[in-house]
Amino acid sequence: MMQIEHGGALDRAMMRFGGKPEDWMDLSTGINPELFPLSAIPPEIWNRLPDQKLLDTTVNAARQYYGVERDAGIVAAPGTQALIQILPQLAAVGEAVIISPTYQEHELSFKQAGWSVSHCQDVKEISQSAKVAVVVNPNNPDGRIVEAKILLDLAEELHARGGFLIVDEAFSDPHPETSIASHAGMDGLIILKSFGKFFGLGGLRLGFALTTHANAERLKTRLGPWAVSGPALFIAANAFSDSRSLADYRSRLTFRRKMLADVLVEAKLCEIGGTSLFSLVKFDQATALYDKLCEQHVLTRKFAYAPQWLRFGLPLDAKAADVLSKRIAKAFAAN
């Protein structure tokens, strides 16, 4: 079984390095540390199964927020991970190519479904025998961006081979110029959207697939009824529609990202990529630094396939940025 390491495993870090949750700064996930303002949830939302009206309201709000045309299908799911695990079932088994390095669950899902999986670093290197390709855009962990025209041309080619292109836009909310959601509904294209990362609500478990109506129906069938909880749908519908709060929220995210960049510059850590939600740094002794940071109760994301990389999520505010700066300094002093 392929073992995949993820961010967010604070419980395991505490078992090894001690401390209580409140002692730690968890920068390992790329989730916005600020929760989007939550609307009060009416009691009946908790008491009843989510009905079609609530689902339709949320899907329509998502359609407007993401800029999706009416001729496209939208599927709500309990997180994009649930969608990633069933997407290989939408075509007969063949060869899948993943633009790498990237989020490793895509590879695992295709392998578990019996697909042959290969990797390349550039869309131009995708083999002619491939039926499916996966592009995370912007990419996790390096922030690489593939131009829209290249992606749309690739989706057309793969559709002609009986397959499709998966574009995982989990980190595109702060970078709407990178999104191809307005092209959702074209044959051969499936776009994944993560709600929790940008809105700081990873624990809500909500994601969307933007695709053709036919693929949407197939995904809905596999997910089954009431796939998403009523509270999750209610929260998302309100968040998507709250334009005033969104503007302020985006502004604070921009400021937060600059604070992280300043801390890394001060620490003389070389930033080689990232998005508005995280930074990727290169450091020759990154694995050792990861452990030293854990000793200071700072959890980052390390990579077995790139031991010279560390990914840093965002500090919540100026106070957190100052604490991070001091803990990094202590980690270096301990070497």
Side-chain angles (χ1 to χ4, degrees), residues 157-189:
E157 290 177 20
L158 292 169
H159 175 65
R161 302 178 201 171
F164 49 84
L165 170 66
I166 299 170
V167 181
D168 185 339
E169 294 189 348
F171 291 98
S172 72
D173 284 49
H175 307 274
E177 72 282 357
T178 68
S179 176
I180 58 171
S182 62
H183 298 275
M186 72 174 285
D187 290 331
L189 178 63

Short mmCIF file of all heavy atoms in Angstrom, two decimals, residues 157-189:
data_model
loop_
_atom_site.label_atom_id
_atom_site.label_comp_id
_atom_site.label_asym_id
_atom_site.label_seq_id
_atom_site.Cartn_x
_atom_site.Cartn_y
_atom_site.Cartn_z
N GLU A 157 -8.11 17.06 -26.38
CA GLU A 157 -7.35 15.91 -26.88
C GLU A 157 -7.73 14.64 -26.12
O GLU A 157 -7.93 13.58 -26.72
CB GLU A 157 -5.85 16.17 -26.74
CG GLU A 157 -5.29 17.24 -27.66
CD GLU A 157 -3.81 17.48 -27.39
OE1 GLU A 157 -3.17 16.59 -26.79
OE2 GLU A 157 -3.32 18.56 -27.76
N LEU A 158 -7.81 14.75 -24.81
CA LEU A 158 -8.11 13.58 -24.00
C LEU A 158 -9.54 13.09 -24.21
O LEU A 158 -9.81 11.88 -24.21
CB LEU A 158 -7.88 13.90 -22.51
CG LEU A 158 -6.42 14.13 -22.13
CD1 LEU A 158 -6.32 14.71 -20.73
CD2 LEU A 158 -5.62 12.84 -22.23
N HIS A 159 -10.46 14.01 -24.43
CA HIS A 159 -11.84 13.61 -24.73
C HIS A 159 -11.90 12.80 -26.02
O HIS A 159 -12.64 11.81 -26.12
CB HIS A 159 -12.72 14.85 -24.84
CG HIS A 159 -14.12 14.54 -25.26
ND1 HIS A 159 -14.99 13.80 -24.48
CD2 HIS A 159 -14.82 14.86 -26.39
CE1 HIS A 159 -16.15 13.68 -25.11
NE2 HIS A 159 -16.07 14.30 -26.26
N ALA A 160 -11.07 13.19 -27.00
CA ALA A 160 -11.03 12.46 -28.27
C ALA A 160 -10.50 11.04 -28.07
O ALA A 160 -10.80 10.15 -28.88
CB ALA A 160 -10.16 13.22 -29.27
N ARG A 161 -9.75 10.80 -26.99
CA ARG A 161 -9.22 9.46 -26.69
C ARG A 161 -10.16 8.68 -25.76
O ARG A 161 -9.81 7.59 -25.29
CB ARG A 161 -7.85 9.57 -26.03
CG ARG A 161 -6.80 10.32 -26.84
CD ARG A 161 -5.50 10.41 -26.04
NE ARG A 161 -4.64 11.48 -26.52
CZ ARG A 161 -3.54 11.89 -25.91
NH1 ARG A 161 -3.17 11.29 -24.79
NH2 ARG A 161 -2.81 12.89 -26.39
N GLY A 162 -11.31 9.25 -25.45
CA GLY A 162 -12.24 8.58 -24.55
C GLY A 162 -11.97 8.85 -23.09
O GLY A 162 -12.46 8.12 -22.22
N GLY A 163 -11.20 9.88 -22.80
CA GLY A 163 -10.85 10.19 -21.42
C GLY A 163 -11.19 11.62 -21.04
O GLY A 163 -12.08 12.24 -21.63
N PHE A 164 -10.43 12.15 -20.09
CA PHE A 164 -10.72 13.50 -19.61
C PHE A 164 -9.52 14.07 -18.87
O PHE A 164 -8.60 13.35 -18.49
CB PHE A 164 -11.95 13.51 -18.69
CG PHE A 164 -11.93 12.47 -17.61
CD1 PHE A 164 -11.27 12.70 -16.41
CD2 PHE A 164 -12.58 11.25 -17.78
CE1 PHE A 164 -11.26 11.74 -15.40
CE2 PHE A 164 -12.59 10.29 -16.78
CZ PHE A 164 -11.92 10.53 -15.58
N LEU A 165 -9.57 15.37 -18.65
CA LEU A 165 -8.57 16.09 -17.87
C LEU A 165 -9.18 16.49 -16.54
O LEU A 165 -10.28 17.05 -16.49
CB LEU A 165 -8.12 17.35 -18.62
CG LEU A 165 -7.25 18.34 -17.83
CD1 LEU A 165 -5.89 17.73 -17.49
CD2 LEU A 165 -7.07 19.65 -18.62
N ILE A 166 -8.46 16.21 -15.46
CA ILE A 166 -8.85 16.68 -14.13
C ILE A 166 -7.98 17.87 -13.78
O ILE A 166 -6.74 17.78 -13.77
CB ILE A 166 -8.66 15.58 -13.07
CG1 ILE A 166 -9.52 14.37 -13.39
CG2 ILE A 166 -8.97 16.13 -11.68
CD1 ILE A 166 -9.19 13.16 -12.52
N VAL A 167 -8.61 19.02 -13.53
CA VAL A 167 -7.88 20.20 -13.07
C VAL A 167 -8.31 20.46 -11.63
O VAL A 167 -9.45 20.81 -11.36
CB VAL A 167 -8.18 21.44 -13.95
CG1 VAL A 167 -7.39 22.65 -13.44
CG2 VAL A 167 -7.82 21.16 -15.40
N ASP A 168 -7.40 20.24 -10.71
CA ASP A 168 -7.66 20.40 -9.29
C ASP A 168 -7.31 21.85 -8.91
O ASP A 168 -6.14 22.22 -8.84
CB ASP A 168 -6.81 19.41 -8.49
CG ASP A 168 -7.12 19.43 -7.01
OD1 ASP A 168 -7.67 20.44 -6.52
OD2 ASP A 168 -6.79 18.43 -6.33
N GLU A 169 -8.34 22.66 -8.67
CA GLU A 169 -8.15 24.07 -8.36
C GLU A 169 -8.33 24.35 -6.87
O GLU A 169 -8.87 25.38 -6.46
CB GLU A 169 -9.11 24.93 -9.18
CG GLU A 169 -8.85 24.89 -10.67
CD GLU A 169 -9.66 25.90 -11.47
OE1 GLU A 169 -10.61 26.49 -10.92
OE2 GLU A 169 -9.35 26.09 -12.65
N ALA A 170 -7.82 23.45 -6.04
CA ALA A 170 -8.01 23.57 -4.60
C ALA A 170 -7.48 24.89 -4.04
O ALA A 170 -8.00 25.40 -3.04
CB ALA A 170 -7.32 22.39 -3.89
N PHE A 171 -6.44 25.44 -4.68
CA PHE A 171 -5.82 26.66 -4.17
C PHE A 171 -6.05 27.87 -5.07
O PHE A 171 -5.32 28.85 -4.99
CB PHE A 171 -4.32 26.43 -3.96
CG PHE A 171 -4.00 25.48 -2.84
CD1 PHE A 171 -3.72 24.14 -3.11
CD2 PHE A 171 -4.02 25.89 -1.52
CE1 PHE A 171 -3.44 23.25 -2.08
CE2 PHE A 171 -3.74 25.01 -0.49
CZ PHE A 171 -3.45 23.69 -0.77
N SER A 172 -7.06 27.82 -5.91
CA SER A 172 -7.26 28.90 -6.89
C SER A 172 -8.13 30.05 -6.38
O SER A 172 -8.14 31.11 -6.99
CB SER A 172 -7.86 28.35 -8.18
OG SER A 172 -9.22 28.00 -7.99
N ASP A 173 -8.85 29.87 -5.28
CA ASP A 173 -9.74 30.95 -4.82
C ASP A 173 -9.03 32.29 -4.65
O ASP A 173 -9.56 33.32 -5.06
CB ASP A 173 -10.43 30.54 -3.52
CG ASP A 173 -11.56 29.55 -3.74
OD1 ASP A 173 -11.32 28.54 -4.44
OD2 ASP A 173 -12.66 29.77 -3.21
N PRO A 174 -7.83 32.32 -4.06
CA PRO A 174 -7.14 33.61 -3.95
C PRO A 174 -6.50 34.05 -5.27
O PRO A 174 -5.99 35.16 -5.36
CB PRO A 174 -6.04 33.34 -2.91
CG PRO A 174 -6.36 32.03 -2.30
CD PRO A 174 -7.11 31.26 -3.33
N HIS A 175 -6.54 33.16 -6.29
CA HIS A 175 -5.93 33.44 -7.59
C HIS A 175 -6.95 33.19 -8.69
O HIS A 175 -6.76 32.31 -9.55
CB HIS A 175 -4.70 32.55 -7.80
CG HIS A 175 -3.70 32.60 -6.70
ND1 HIS A 175 -2.70 33.55 -6.65
CD2 HIS A 175 -3.55 31.84 -5.58
CE1 HIS A 175 -1.96 33.37 -5.56
NE2 HIS A 175 -2.47 32.34 -4.90
N PRO A 176 -8.07 33.94 -8.72
CA PRO A 176 -9.15 33.65 -9.68
C PRO A 176 -8.70 33.74 -11.14
O PRO A 176 -9.31 33.11 -12.01
CB PRO A 176 -10.21 34.70 -9.35
CG PRO A 176 -9.49 35.78 -8.60
CD PRO A 176 -8.40 35.09 -7.85
N GLU A 177 -7.63 34.48 -11.39
CA GLU A 177 -7.14 34.61 -12.76
C GLU A 177 -6.58 33.29 -13.29
O GLU A 177 -6.45 33.11 -14.52
CB GLU A 177 -6.07 35.70 -12.84
CG GLU A 177 -4.72 35.37 -12.22
CD GLU A 177 -4.69 35.47 -10.69
OE1 GLU A 177 -5.71 35.87 -10.09
OE2 GLU A 177 -3.63 35.15 -10.10
N THR A 178 -6.29 32.35 -12.41
CA THR A 178 -5.76 31.05 -12.85
C THR A 178 -6.87 30.04 -13.13
O THR A 178 -6.60 28.98 -13.70
CB THR A 178 -4.84 30.45 -11.77
OG1 THR A 178 -5.62 30.09 -10.62
CG2 THR A 178 -3.76 31.44 -11.35
N SER A 179 -8.10 30.34 -12.73
CA SER A 179 -9.18 29.36 -12.82
C SER A 179 -9.75 29.27 -14.24
O SER A 179 -9.85 30.27 -14.96
CB SER A 179 -10.30 29.74 -11.86
OG SER A 179 -11.40 28.86 -11.99
N ILE A 180 -10.16 28.05 -14.61
CA ILE A 180 -10.85 27.85 -15.89
C ILE A 180 -12.29 27.41 -15.64
O ILE A 180 -12.92 26.76 -16.48
CB ILE A 180 -10.11 26.83 -16.79
CG1 ILE A 180 -9.96 25.48 -16.07
CG2 ILE A 180 -8.76 27.38 -17.22
CD1 ILE A 180 -9.42 24.37 -16.98
N ALA A 181 -12.83 27.81 -14.48
CA ALA A 181 -14.18 27.41 -14.11
C ALA A 181 -15.22 27.91 -15.11
O ALA A 181 -16.26 27.28 -15.29
CB ALA A 181 -14.52 27.93 -12.71
N SER A 182 -14.95 29.02 -15.78
CA SER A 182 -15.91 29.55 -16.76
C SER A 182 -16.04 28.62 -17.97
O SER A 182 -16.99 28.75 -18.74
CB SER A 182 -15.48 30.94 -17.23
OG SER A 182 -14.21 30.91 -17.86
N HIS A 183 -15.09 27.69 -18.12
CA HIS A 183 -15.14 26.72 -19.23
C HIS A 183 -15.73 25.38 -18.79
O HIS A 183 -15.80 24.45 -19.60
CB HIS A 183 -13.74 26.50 -19.80
CG HIS A 183 -13.13 27.73 -20.38
ND1 HIS A 183 -13.37 28.13 -21.68
CD2 HIS A 183 -12.30 28.66 -19.84
CE1 HIS A 183 -12.70 29.25 -21.92
NE2 HIS A 183 -12.04 29.59 -20.82
N ALA A 184 -16.13 25.28 -17.54
CA ALA A 184 -16.74 24.04 -17.06
C ALA A 184 -17.96 23.71 -17.91
O ALA A 184 -18.71 24.59 -18.33
CB ALA A 184 -17.14 24.19 -15.59
N GLY A 185 -18.14 22.43 -18.16
CA GLY A 185 -19.22 21.97 -19.01
C GLY A 185 -18.73 21.47 -20.35
O GLY A 185 -19.46 20.75 -21.05
N MET A 186 -17.48 21.82 -20.72
CA MET A 186 -16.94 21.30 -21.98
C MET A 186 -16.59 19.83 -21.82
O MET A 186 -16.20 19.37 -20.73
CB MET A 186 -15.72 22.12 -22.45
CG MET A 186 -14.46 21.91 -21.65
SD MET A 186 -13.00 22.76 -22.35
CE MET A 186 -12.64 21.70 -23.76
N ASP A 187 -16.75 19.09 -22.88
CA ASP A 187 -16.42 17.66 -22.84
C ASP A 187 -14.95 17.47 -22.51
O ASP A 187 -14.08 18.22 -22.97
CB ASP A 187 -16.72 17.02 -24.19
CG ASP A 187 -18.22 16.93 -24.47
OD1 ASP A 187 -18.99 16.82 -23.49
OD2 ASP A 187 -18.61 16.98 -25.66
N GLY A 188 -14.68 16.46 -21.70
CA GLY A 188 -13.29 16.11 -21.39
C GLY A 188 -12.67 16.92 -20.28
O GLY A 188 -11.46 16.83 -20.06
N LEU A 189 -13.46 17.71 -19.55
CA LEU A 189 -12.90 18.57 -18.50
C LEU A 189 -13.67 18.37 -17.20
O LEU A 189 -14.89 18.47 -17.16
CB LEU A 189 -12.96 20.04 -18.92
CG LEU A 189 -12.46 21.06 -17.89
CD1 LEU A 189 -10.98 20.86 -17.59
CD2 LEU A 189 -12.70 22.49 -18.40
#
